[in-house]
Amino acid sequence: MKKLFLSAVLIMAALATFAQSRPKLIVGIVVDQMRWDYLHRYYDLYGEGGFKRIMNEGFDCENTMINYIPAITAVGHTSIYTGSVPAIHGIQGNSFLINGKFTYCTADTTVAGVGTKTKAGQMSPRNMFCTTIGDELKVATDFKSRVIGVAIKDRAAILPAGHAADAAYWIDGKQSKFVSSTYYMKQLPAWVEKYNKTVSKYTEDQINLSPAGNEVTMDMAKNVITNEKLGQQGETDMICISFSSTDKIGHKYGTHCQLIQDQFVDLDKRLADFMKYLDTTIGKGEYLLFLTADHGAANGILMNQEHGIPSGGFSYKKEIKELNAYFRQKYGVDADFTRYIMAYNVALDHDAIEKAGLELSKVKKDVIDYFMKKDYVAYAVDMEHVADATVPPYIKEKMLNGYNAKRNGDVQLILQPGWYDVYGDKIEAGTTHSAWNPYDAHIPFLMMGWGVKHGKTSHPTYITDIAATICNLVHIQMPNGCIGNAVEMKYPPPNDLMPHLGVRGKLCWR
């Protein structure tokens, strides 16, 4: 009888273990324009409960790279949550060609704004081809799980949450309040309307360029979890959070300004507070949290030049004007053949070229010859023939991963290291991103909580591995366009402490 009782107890314990095969809540955090080295540059300015807690309790993939171009916000957020690349998931940039029309990545005129009457609300994930982690989580639980996205930027809330999301909330900057669209709901919940009274005390600039951006994003995330009871009703839920103001500050002031340091130190404190909230609300060890970035950023041109590092500016407006002038002179036509240059991708006006009686292939060759004469251009490639191009394999793979014939332009430019696009003729202190180089492509990837032990790896991992890893941990199928692989988490001995340098070169241990 005792043996039968013991067997029954063991079976029940095994069933209980099997039932607890997923965390209560998955928390995805993306810090927009967070270079990987910000973890280490500001290490001794961080407290113990924010970035350091994730690094010291969780698993750190220190060599995570973006494996496509362009390294841009919409693409990064999509690739993180789909485990895929632009060639497959279809989000080629913040804007790109759809049926020959230049279109914003989440624009959807078939929906209306909720909480706003402006175009800021006419958004949905319909331009994305693939499923996300959240979509697959819903499928795995017969759509009982709830998935919600939160960010200042619309694309940073919508694309991560996926097609089947219960909600996505972003800020209408002109009105300083969180809004949504009829893709998700008919009206804002009462708790959102209430919280918007707090958000509206800030101006658009304060939200974009100060710690207020961190504050309203984190507080909105807490409100979502509290009011929607995420992770508290039996099924695994998911919240996708993106901090956008770090990107806005970087673009305006650069990677080494005091404001960017202050913003990350502030974010560290808010992360610490948020994880304490999760420990209390969801339970320590009951949630799975991962933190990453959609892209990095180049160090500023002015700073580089001051210290003798090769660097320079590439003006889209100037380049388009001069390229069109070159075509007018060469062919003697009164037409502009260049539609746009974005992320160093040249899109030609096929109709204008055909009307002029010219062959597209010849014009593309002329574009390549034109740019290859410029010292600051390393490569110019016809994207229809990138596989045959004389380009380093590492860069070629990124070009192939980033190319979708139905949505891209015609010729891809690869600039010399340290060169990037500037907004006008005058070079300012700010910066940007989108290139293949490590400064844009090396991103953090940290995991902590349910199913994760402390450890780290320097083996190559990719942005496309994030979705595969999270899905593997929670035992669900990876997204339907995923090309990544789950990170193999090998854990070092407990006493294997690794030194690294902090913000002022101080030797720190963890």
Side-chain angles (χ1 to χ4, degrees):
M1 182 65 72
K2 288 183 178 179
K3 288 184 178 179
L4 288 172
F5 177 75
L6 181 59
S7 296
V9 169
L10 291 173
I11 291 170
M12 290 175 67
L15 289 172
T17 301
F18 178 76
Q20 185 61 19
S21 61
R22 297 187 183 115
K24 292 180 179 178
L25 181 66
I26 302 170
V27 181
I29 298 176
V30 179
V31 184
D32 204 323
Q33 202 186 118
M34 182 176 181
R35 290 167 53 110
W36 164 83
D37 60 352
Y38 287 170
L39 286 174
H40 303 276
R41 185 189 301 173
Y42 305 135
Y43 189 85
D44 61 345
L45 298 179
Y46 294 146
E48 295 302 318
F51 289 113
K52 282 185 182 179
R53 177 181 171 185
I54 307 174
M55 295 168 77
N56 295 332
E57 291 185 19
F59 195 89
D60 184 354
C61 299
E62 293 213 318
N63 191 21
T64 301
M65 304 295 290
I66 292 173
N67 53 349
Y68 55 78
I69 51 176
I72 284 177
T73 298
V75 190
H77 282 82
T78 306
S79 297
I80 289 165
Y81 286 89
T82 64
S84 195
V85 291
I88 298 171
H89 61 57
I91 302 299
Q92 310 305 121
N94 292 339
S95 296
F96 45 87
L97 294 172
I98 297 181
N99 297 323
K101 183 180 179 181
F102 198 52
T103 306
Y104 181 65
C105 59
T106 53
D108 186 350
T109 57
T110 70
V111 301
V114 172
T116 179
K117 294 181 180 179
T118 71
K119 289 183 178 180
Q122 289 188 287
M123 304 288 168
S124 85
R126 287 192 173 113
N127 294 330
M128 178 173 61
F129 294 142
C130 300
T131 60
T132 62
I133 300 170
D135 291 331
E136 296 299 334
L137 177 65
K138 279 183 162 287
V139 171
T141 62
D142 293 326
F143 296 91
K144 295 174 184 175
S145 295
R146 285 160 304 146
V147 178
I148 297 176
V150 173
I152 292 172
K153 296 180 181 178
D154 47 45
R155 55 190 181 272
I158 293 168
L159 297 169
H163 297 279
D166 296 88
Y169 300 104
W170 57 94
I171 285 185
D172 180 343
K174 301 302 180 184
Q175 301 181 67
S176 291
K177 66 177 183 177
F178 280 98
V179 300
S180 191
S181 83
T182 52
Y183 180 88
Y184 306 99
M185 63 192 73
K186 293 182 179 179
Q187 63 182 44
L188 291 177
W191 64 263
V192 177
E193 296 280 16
K194 181 180 179 181
Y195 180 58
N196 272 336
K197 294 178 182 178
T198 299
V199 180
S200 63
K201 70 181 182 181
Y202 294 113
T203 65
E204 184 176 15
D205 278 351
Q206 286 175 322
I207 291 173
N208 287 335
L209 301 171
S210 82
N214 294 337
E215 177 189 334
V216 299
T217 304
M218 190 64 86
D219 286 350
M220 182 62 173
K222 286 183 183 178
N223 269 287
V224 167
I225 294 170
T226 298
N227 289 282
E228 300 297 338
K229 299 189 182 301
L230 295 189
Q232 301 164 64
Q233 298 190 85
E235 292 290 351
T236 300
D237 296 322
M238 183 171 190
I239 184 168
C240 310
I241 310 165
S242 182
F243 292 91
S244 306
S245 53
T246 45
D247 180 73
K248 301 281 189 178
I249 292 171
H251 276 297
K252 190 172 181 64
Y253 299 106
T255 60
H256 281 69
C257 66
Q258 185 66 41
L259 283 175
I260 203 72
Q261 176 178 300
D262 293 346
Q263 194 75 356
F264 274 91
V265 172
D266 175 82
L267 178 57
D268 177 68
K269 294 175 183 176
R270 296 188 191 278
L271 284 171
D273 177 69
F274 182 56
M275 286 186 283
K276 283 183 181 179
Y277 163 83
L278 292 173
D279 291 343
T280 302
T281 306
I282 308 301
K284 190 173 183 179
E286 298 292 336
Y287 59 90
L288 170 61
L289 181 148
F290 68 91
L291 184 147
T292 186
D294 52 346
H295 54 73
N299 288 324
I301 293 168
L302 297 179
M303 183 185 77
N304 285 341
Q305 291 178 344
E306 181 181 352
H307 296 279
I309 298 172
S311 196
F314 179 93
S315 169
Y316 286 148
K317 184 182 293 187
K318 178 174 175 287
E319 297 290 346
I320 291 170
K321 182 179 179 181
E322 291 182 356
L323 182 58
N324 279 327
Y326 164 77
F327 284 139
R328 286 170 182 267
Q329 182 180 18
K330 181 177 179 65
Y331 297 119
V333 294
D334 186 22
D336 290 337
F337 287 171
T338 311
R339 295 186 65 181
Y340 67 82
I341 302 176
M342 181 167 285
Y344 319 112
N345 190 251
V346 183
L348 298 172
D349 190 329
H350 295 193
D351 292 337
I353 292 169
E354 183 180 3
K355 188 176 180 181
L358 298 170
E359 292 183 9
L360 178 61
S361 59
K362 182 179 183 338
V363 177
K364 287 194 288 185
K365 185 179 183 304
D366 286 338
V367 172
I368 292 169
D369 292 343
Y370 172 85
F371 277 109
M372 286 303 295
K373 292 176 182 177
K374 297 179 181 291
D375 292 340
Y376 50 82
V377 176
Y379 303 99
V381 178
D382 180 346
M383 290 306 295
E384 284 190 333
H385 304 289
V386 63
D388 302 321
T390 306
V391 177
Y394 181 75
I395 300 175
K396 184 183 293 188
E397 181 182 1
K398 291 193 175 192
M399 294 172 72
L400 286 167
N401 284 342
Y403 178 65
N404 185 295
K406 295 182 178 180
R407 293 187 165 184
N408 268 91
D410 301 280
V411 175
Q412 183 67 47
L413 307 178
I414 303 295
L415 303 189
Q416 300 288 6
W419 284 75
Y420 59 78
D421 63 283
V422 294
Y423 300 113
D425 295 333
K426 183 181 178 182
I427 296 174
E428 304 286 354
T431 187
T432 192
H433 49 85
S434 76
W436 69 270
N437 309 74
Y439 43 72
D440 285 355
H442 193 183
I443 57 174
F445 174 30
L446 306 165
M447 294 169 281
M448 187 195 79
W450 193 92
V452 179
K453 297 178 183 179
H454 175 51
K456 63 183 291 187
T457 181
S458 293
H459 288 291
T461 52
Y462 301 95
I463 191 170
T464 47
D465 295 333
I466 297 172
T469 303
I470 301 304
C471 289
N472 180 63
L473 281 169
V474 301
H475 308 125
I476 63 175
Q477 183 59 276
M478 62 183 68
N480 61 14
C482 183
I483 64 168
N485 297 294
V487 174
E488 185 177 358
M489 298 187 196
K490 293 183 178 179
Y491 300 100
N495 295 323
D496 184 19
L497 296 175
M498 301 297 293
H500 64 91
L501 295 178
V503 66
R504 285 181 288 273
K506 179 181 177 182
L507 188 63
C508 304
W509 292 83
R510 60 177 174 83

